[in-house]
Amino acid sequence: QLQLQESGPGLVKPSETLALTCSVSGGSISGTYYYWGWIRQTPGKGLEWIGHMSYTGTTYYNPSLERRVTISIDTSKNHFSLRLRSLTAADTAVYYCARVHPIGVGATRYYFENWGQGTLVSVSS
Amino acid sequence: EIVLTQSPGTVSLSPGERATLSCRASQSVSSNYLAWYQQKPGQAPSLLIYGASSRATDIPDRFSGSGSGTDFTLTISRLEPEDFAVYYCQQYATSPCSFGQGTKLEIK
């Protein structure tokens, strides 16, 4: 059974960069049509898609975050990562990694088939 | 961006009753690209329904989705104790995708 597990710091200072990793077990990141992505959740804005990436390196990002986000994949370690730069308090959220089910050619239509348990990230000095 | 409005915000029902949750879109959701998720306290959302009416793997048949265009419904035919949770809809017809604000289903 596929499992995803986020890891990373729970507290980050404003203006710094958040780095999270999602370790995947029970299945391989490589060689499938799935994408691998990140979503965050806040009490105020609710659920917000951040972006996703294929194992071949094709990426899609939310335009609202695109200037600050990088998603990468390490197939040798079967994990993928999120970097979010120039943090502010508004980036305080629970961050989830997910296996993304794309529809049709490309991955501009997608839903989230499997989720990690989530990790709370607070941005504060 | 398509805005999804879920109603009611909170619904109180008893086990065994039928639950009907609504998700309304600000514009038509093409090809019924709409999903429903369940989120229990302290847990991640989990996929229930995709394509407006297709159940995800291992989802009991008491959960059903329906609708098209701008109006979608999640129905739970007979509530079990483990069904009390928050439910979210998500449209994936346009990118970025968007989520509703959620409906909390609580025990009466």
Side-chain angles (χ1 to χ4, degrees), chain A residues 63-104:
Chain A
S64 69
L65 297 168
E66 189 168 17
R67 293 182 300 107
R68 300 193 292 130
V69 172
T70 302
I71 294 174
S72 59
I73 282 184
D74 187 335
T75 55
S76 67
K77 295 182 179 177
N78 216 41
H79 75 204
F80 59 104
S81 300
L82 169 71
R83 291 178 63 84
L84 183 63
R85 299 176 288 279
S86 303
L87 294 173
T88 70
D91 296 309
T92 294
V94 176
Y95 285 76
Y96 296 101
C97 61
R99 184 171 73 167
V100 181
H101 189 121
I103 304 297

Side-chain angles (χ1 to χ4, degrees), chain B residues 45-59:
Chain B
S46 61
L47 179 67
L48 293 173
I49 301 284
Y50 62 93
S53 60
S54 297
R55 276 187 298 276
T57 303
D58 295 331
I59 299 303

Side-chain angles (χ1 to χ4, degrees), chain A residues 102-113:
Chain A
I103 304 297
V105 176
T108 56
R109 297 185 170 119
Y110 46 88
Y111 56 87
F112 307 102
E113 199 166 299

Side-chain angles (χ1 to χ4, degrees), chain B residues 9-107:
Chain B
T10 302
V11 58
S12 301
L13 294 169
S14 301
E17 290 192 297
R18 180 186 187 91
T20 303
L21 283 58
S22 173
C23 176
R24 178 162 291 179
S26 60
Q27 57 189 275
S28 182
V29 178
S30 64
S31 302
N32 294 341
Y33 287 148
L34 188 112
W36 289 93
Y37 301 85
Q38 177 192 69
Q39 185 175 33
K40 297 180 180 179
Q43 297 184 19
S46 61
L47 179 67
L48 293 173
I49 301 284
Y50 62 93
S53 60
S54 297
R55 276 187 298 276
T57 303
D58 295 331
I59 299 303
D61 60 8
R62 65 179 182 273
F63 290 91
S64 64
S66 62
S68 63
T70 60
D71 290 299
F72 298 87
T73 300
L74 175 69
T75 301
I76 311 171
S77 58
R78 293 172 308 279
L79 286 166
E80 297 287 343
E82 61 268 25
D83 299 337
F84 291 92
V86 179
Y87 292 84
Y88 295 95
C89 56
Q90 175 223 348
Q91 69 78 21
Y92 51 100
T94 63
S95 187
C97 69
S98 52
F99 292 86
Q101 83 282 12
T103 289
K104 181 179 182 181
L105 176 57
E106 63 178 25
I107 298 178

